Amino acid sequence: MKLFDGNILAIESSCDETSAAVITGRTVRSNIVATQIEMHQKWGGVVPEAAARAHIEAILPVIQEALDGAQVTLKEIQAIAVTNRPGLVGALSVGVTAAKALAFSQRIPLIGVHHIEGHILSILGTESEIFFPLVTLVVSGGHSEIVWVNAPGEYKILGETRDDAAGEAFDKGARLMGLGYPGGKAIEEQAKLGNPKRYPLPRALGSDTYEMSFSGLKTAMLRLVEKEGADLCVPDAAASLQAAIVDVLTDRARRAIERENPAGICVVGGVSANQSLRSSIQTLAARYGIPCFVPPFSLCTDNAGMIGLAASVRLALGDTNDFTLDALPMSDLPTLSTKSE
Ligand code: KG4
Ligand code: ZN
């Protein structure tokens, strides 16, 4: 796999984390994340206008910290990468504007990166040799997709969620149990102490496709919380919710391995930080005799390191953008027109 041989400064500001990183080849030399979680907690979710303002305040100090962390100066940077799609448009614009200004002032290439491509290529942040084609489970707060990765830069979505994303299912369950926002990590912590068989929750496993659905689970959680009231055992409820989500994702991954015959399977995105999900997919991969690639924890939730890794691949393919680069709220992954069978 060809990679850009120079230092890349990468910027990510698509949602509620302001992040900057320095990447050389496959090495993430620094990866600074300033999170806005505390600010959004009081509203129980991300407020777009507040997110954009917080990015404006954080972006320059975060970039400086990333340069210092990698022990490089701006003059030693050979390209600027930035998440320009999809995401909250006001939030994205802060990163895109900073990236353009830096690329212009340094007279170096600029590249806009698709946020999901960043998650997919976050596995390059491991030491492992990566084999293609891959089936990748993209599971975050905004996405639940099964993606065929023919090669870096060549993607085809095999299936996605019909309603809520897996991370949303964790977050909504956590909110119902009073565990705060975002809830994935809190659910995982509680689940360690709980019995996953205590509360039977639905698993939408029936269909023959790669589609997923988590809204039934959310409704079932709501009913459970209402029915049990003060008697609800939070660790058992958290463990039951986590097991239901992990079962659905593992079932779809199994289906994809059986039908698509990939050289490996990956789990990426914020929910891939979940140890129970990682173990379940690793066990599945071992059963089929293929490798399982997961990013290091620091590259699971939103961060600029993964954006730099994707840029390393894209720049080596000859891709760059000019200064008309725009922030786009919605955008499809670069897709394959036909998948090699
Ligand atoms: O990738 P990400 O940072 O943002 C999006 O692109 O959406 O993912 C955030 C999501 C949240 O829903 C959060 O609850 C979930 O990832 N998450 C987890 C864990 N850590 C973060 N879910 C389950 N277990 C975790 N340990
Ligand atoms: Zn993300």
Side-chain angles (χ1 to χ4, degrees):
M1 184 191 334
K2 273 178 52 190
L3 297 168
F4 182 70
D5 66 347
N7 298 325
I8 301 171
L9 173 67
I11 299 171
E12 152 69 42
S13 67
S14 65
C15 188
D16 58 352
E17 329 276 1
T18 318
S19 181
V22 175
I23 285 85
T24 314
R26 266 177 77 169
T27 307
V28 179
R29 297 174 58 183
S30 63
N31 191 13
I32 307 299
V33 181
T35 181
Q36 307 173 1
I37 283 174
E38 233 175 82
M39 177 181 84
H40 297 295
Q41 258 164 357
K42 48 181 180 287
W43 295 295
V46 178
V47 179
E49 173 67 13
R53 278 166 181 271
H55 284 306
I56 292 172
E57 281 171 26
I59 193 118
L60 293 179
V62 164
I63 289 172
Q64 190 59 55
E65 217 182 307
L67 292 169
D68 293 346
Q71 296 187 304
V72 294
T73 63
L74 204 46
K75 289 200 168 32
E76 294 167 283
I77 295 292
Q78 279 82 36
I80 306 286
V82 63
T83 309
N84 75 312
R85 64 200 197 280
L88 302 171
V89 78
L92 284 167
S93 299
V94 178
V96 170
T97 306
K100 282 184 189 173
L102 289 168
F104 182 74
S105 70
Q106 301 302 305
R107 299 179 197 286
I108 52 177
L110 169 72
I111 174 115
V113 175
H114 193 288
H115 182 79
I116 300 304
E117 182 168 36
H119 277 302
I120 291 172
L121 295 180
S122 65
I123 54 158
L124 298 179
T126 60
E127 308 263 294
S128 331
E129 192 186 342
I130 313 272
F131 307 100
F132 295 92
L134 295 168
V135 161
T136 298
L137 223 55
V138 182
V139 277
S140 71
H143 295 266
S144 289
E145 284 152 11
I146 296 199
V147 182
W148 176 259
V149 181
N150 203 48
E154 295 177 17
Y155 312 105
K156 182 185 178 190
I157 295 182
L158 298 173
E160 56 200 326
T161 180
R162 264 187 271 155
D163 37 59
D164 294 348
E168 252 178 300
F170 273 104
D171 295 340
K172 288 178 178 169
R175 193 184 307 174
L176 287 170
M177 286 184 255
L179 295 175
Y181 165 87
K185 191 149 183 48
I187 295 271
E188 180 169 22
E189 288 306 313
Q190 290 289 326
K192 283 183 190 152
L193 315 165
N195 170 9
K197 296 208 164 78
R198 167 83 179 271
Y199 300 115
L201 291 170
R203 283 134 171 88
L205 297 177
S207 78
D208 195 32
T209 68
Y210 294 118
E211 279 189 353
M212 293 162 255
S213 165
F214 293 105
S215 67
L217 185 55
K218 177 182 65 187
T219 312
M221 276 305 295
L222 175 64
R223 292 220 185 89
L224 177 69
V225 170
E226 282 173 355
K227 183 169 148 261
E228 297 288 319
D231 292 333
L232 183 81
C233 173
V234 171
D236 288 351
S240 302
L241 175 67
Q242 178 175 276
I245 296 169
V246 169
D247 279 357
V248 171
L249 295 173
T250 307
D251 176 74
R252 293 305 184 272
R254 179 194 51 76
R255 211 169 271 183
I257 293 174
E258 282 182 0
R259 288 189 193 167
E260 313 293 332
N261 197 21
I265 181 134
C266 311
V267 198
V268 302
V271 181
S272 73
N274 187 280
Q275 194 54 59
S276 169
L277 176 63
R278 288 163 94 99
S279 308
S280 177
I281 303 293
Q282 272 155 353
T283 307
L284 179 79
R287 183 142 50 88
Y288 286 88
I290 58 171
C292 172
F293 304 111
V294 288
F297 287 112
S298 59
L299 298 177
C300 289
T301 47
D302 289 351
N303 69 91
M306 67 184 195
I307 301 304
L309 290 167
S312 194
V313 169
R314 287 252 156 227
L315 289 163
L317 291 171
D319 287 3
T320 54
N321 290 99
D322 62 22
F323 293 112
T324 60
L325 182 73
D326 249 341
L328 305 174
M330 286 194 288
S331 162
D332 291 336
L333 256 180
T335 47
L336 266 180
S337 48
T338 49
K339 179 179 85 62
S340 49
E341 295 294 339

